[in-house]
């Protein structure tokens, strides 16, 4: 009886749908859940619990967050949503594999800042060991560079990352927004210490594949998995915007040119690509978002689409458990090439 009651009090184990992917020591679902677009003014918003529950229900066990999302709010929110779903954050089978990030901002002095930030993130997530700890971007914020006073601390941060790994604060370590040169350098730096680079998280989608191609290729050579952020190009590739349904203000300010064009370099917008996405989706009995995310999976990346609620999460995670065929992938890429622009969203230039 006691054992039975104890079992009832244990967090539920997650069931990973479809094949799943190795990410260092982790085994994650083919598609994860991004947390950036959840309401960050509140540590316990129902939308976060609903999105995570829907994702878990669809076989997802991988969530991406960052200390920078709401200055710790997103990490606490992730912990709370996991508790609401009755699952434990951890590295084991049946646990929620959470990735978070260290922000290399100019006032952080070096290696010790990474270790300290990692400890704080672990505390906010309620774990001893963070499943995947990433450096958010290269040390490119150099406020005094105009005066010739830039001092990059990338290597010091890598040393900090190595210490997080060696001290057991992070089970796996990784980077984000690293291009071919930087990913090669950090891979080599960590390899000298027998530490594997678990992944590189970059902007990658059907609408941002050319600008990322050299990085994706280099990651494949190094056997470093790519995690795809903006896999839905902020909603464009979910098919929700067209001439009759424009993004609302203030998103409209940056998105209008992608949707209907009318600005130099953006032709008639992405509508011809959307037509092709809708054609493939209808033929497959899938949604446009599912087709776009499945394209990322077919390219070997692990997309982490952001969702604002349970309905979006459940739609997005329906991209798992099936595959577009080669002809569909080629047709989508031809349609993406034909529109003649990509969706950068003012992101990082990969170096
Ligand atoms: N490492 C980095 O530097 C970095 C940078 C950016 C993001 N990230 C990570 O990557 C994740 C994904 O990026 P993201 O969330 O910014 O962009 P995204 O996944 O490309 O787009 C998410 C947005 O698309 C719309 N959407 C999502 N699912 C939908 C569906 N099924 N139907 C209709 N619309 C849908 C929503 O737009 P609305 O909000 O307009 O409703 C949602 O906020 C983030 O959550 C974050 O974890 C990392």
């Amino acid at each position: 009886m006691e054992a039975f009651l104890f079992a009832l009090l244990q967090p539920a184990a997650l069931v990973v749908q479809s094949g799943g992917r190795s990410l260092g020591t982790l085994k994650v679902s083919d598609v994860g859940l991004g947390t950036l677009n959840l309401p960050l003014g509140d540590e316990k918003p129902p939308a976060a619990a609903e999105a995570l529950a829907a994702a878990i229900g669809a076989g997802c066990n991988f969530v991406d967050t960052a200390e920078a999302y709401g200055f710790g709010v997103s990490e606490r929110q992730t912990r709370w949503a996991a508790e609401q779903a009755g699952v434990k954050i951890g590295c084991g089978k049946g646990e929620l594999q959470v990735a978070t990030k260290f922000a290399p901002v100019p006032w952080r002095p070096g290696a010790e800042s990474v270790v300290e930030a990692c400890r704080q993130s672990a505390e906010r997530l309620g774990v001893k060991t963070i499943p995947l700890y990433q450096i958010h971007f290269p040390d490119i914020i150099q406020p005094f560079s105009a005066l010739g006073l830039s001092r990059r601390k990338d290597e010091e941060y890598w040393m900090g990352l190595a210490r997080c790994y060696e001290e057991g604060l992070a089970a796996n370590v990784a980077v984000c927004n690293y291009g071919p040169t930087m990913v090669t350098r950090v891979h080599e730096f960590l390899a000298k210490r027998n530490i594997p680079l678990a992944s590189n998280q970059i902007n990658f989608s059907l609408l941002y594949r050319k600008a990322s191609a050299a990085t994706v290729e280099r990651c494949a050579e190094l056997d470093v998995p790519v995690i795809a952020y903006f896999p839905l190009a902020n909603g464009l590739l979910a098919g929700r915007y067209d001439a009759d349904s424009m993004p609302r203000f203030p998103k409209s300010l940056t998105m209008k040119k992608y949707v209907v064009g009318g600005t130099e370099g953006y032709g008639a917008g992405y509508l011809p690509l959307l037509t092709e996405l809708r054609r493939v989706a209808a033929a497959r009995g899938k949604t446009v978002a599912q087709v776009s995310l499945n394209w990322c999976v077919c390219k070997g990346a692990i997309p982490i689409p952001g969702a604002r609620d349970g309905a979006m999460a459940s739609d997005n995670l329906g991209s798992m458990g099936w595959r577009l065929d080669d002809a569909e992938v080629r047709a989508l890429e031809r349609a993406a090439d034909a529109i003649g622009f990509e969706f950068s969203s003012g992101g990082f230039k990969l170096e």
Side-chain angles (χ1 to χ4, degrees):
M1 184 62 180
E2 202 174 278
F4 172 71
L5 284 175
F6 183 72
L8 277 184
L9 292 173
Q10 294 306 298
L14 291 184
V15 180
V16 182
Q17 201 194 31
S18 81
R21 292 285 308 274
S22 291
L23 212 51
T25 61
L26 310 177
K27 182 89 171 162
V28 301
S29 45
D30 286 344
V31 180
L33 174 69
T35 55
L36 177 59
N37 295 320
L38 288 163
L40 294 176
D42 178 358
E43 286 182 8
K44 299 178 179 177
E50 283 161 20
L52 183 62
I56 289 172
C60 169
N61 74 338
F62 182 45
V63 174
D64 179 73
T65 178
E67 60 168 352
Y69 301 169
F71 301 100
V73 171
S74 176
E75 291 174 327
R76 288 198 197 92
Q77 201 176 79
T78 301
R79 174 185 183 171
W80 172 77
E83 283 163 8
Q84 298 303 297
V87 296
K88 209 169 154 249
I89 297 176
C91 306
K93 202 170 172 243
E95 294 180 324
L96 187 66
Q97 326 264 305
V98 173
T100 191
K101 312 184 189 87
F102 164 82
V105 282
W107 53 90
R108 287 185 143 160
E112 188 51 38
S113 349
V114 185
V115 179
E116 186 45 36
C118 187
R119 270 197 204 104
Q120 288 177 14
S121 285
E123 205 177 305
R124 287 189 288 267
L125 289 167
V127 295
K128 279 205 177 82
T129 303
I130 294 175
L132 181 69
Y133 196 51
Q134 313 159 102
I135 292 185
H136 208 143
F137 42 85
D139 188 20
I140 48 170
I141 307 177
Q142 298 289 333
F144 303 113
S145 58
L147 306 172
L149 294 175
S150 63
R151 188 175 91 73
R152 296 277 297 247
K153 289 172 283 188
D154 296 289
E155 293 212 3
E156 287 153 71
Y157 293 145
W158 301 343
M159 184 57 83
L161 207 55
R163 279 186 45 203
C164 294
Y165 180 85
E166 284 158 358
E167 292 176 22
L169 281 169
N172 298 277
V173 291
V175 291
C176 304
N177 297 298
Y178 274 37
T181 306
M182 289 296 281
V183 80
T184 304
R185 283 183 55 205
V186 68
H187 181 269
E188 195 181 307
F189 181 96
L190 293 172
K192 281 188 190 143
R193 289 154 184 83
N194 287 320
I195 301 173
L197 177 66
S199 53
N200 184 18
Q201 185 181 128
I202 56 171
N203 180 353
F204 183 65
S205 73
L206 194 46
L207 265 177
Y208 202 69
R209 74 182 215 285
K210 291 192 168 172
S212 298
T215 305
V216 170
E217 199 181 319
R218 188 66 191 125
C219 287
E221 286 163 4
L222 295 170
D223 205 16
V224 171
V226 166
I227 298 178
Y229 75 74
F230 291 165
L232 293 173
N234 282 180
L236 291 169
L237 294 173
R240 61 188 299 192
Y241 307 126
D242 57 26
D244 301 320
S245 168
M246 294 296 286
R248 275 188 289 172
F249 184 83
K251 200 164 175 172
S252 54
L253 295 177
T254 49
M255 297 292 266
K256 188 174 173 219
K257 63 178 184 292
Y258 296 115
V259 181
V260 289
T263 302
E264 201 185 334
Y266 292 89
Y270 91 129
L271 296 176
L273 170 60
L274 181 55
T275 302
E276 184 60 14
L277 276 163
R278 284 178 172 155
R279 184 191 69 75
V280 174
R284 274 272 168 190
K286 302 289 178 190
T287 66
V288 167
Q290 289 166 356
V291 168
S292 300
L293 295 168
N294 196 271
W295 176 88
C296 290
V297 174
C298 288
K299 292 296 177 178
I302 303 165
I304 46 167
R308 279 198 189 278
D309 53 34
M312 281 188 191
S314 134
D315 179 12
N316 295 344
L317 273 305
S319 56
M320 297 197 294
W322 57 281
R323 282 290 170 105
L324 291 165
D325 64 31
D326 290 348
E328 290 167 319
V329 167
R330 276 198 303 273
L332 290 168
E333 290 176 2
R334 269 198 307 274
D337 289 347
I339 63 172
F341 62 85
E342 294 205 304
F343 170 84
S344 75
S345 185
F348 296 88
K349 188 169 179 292
L350 296 172
E351 52 176 55

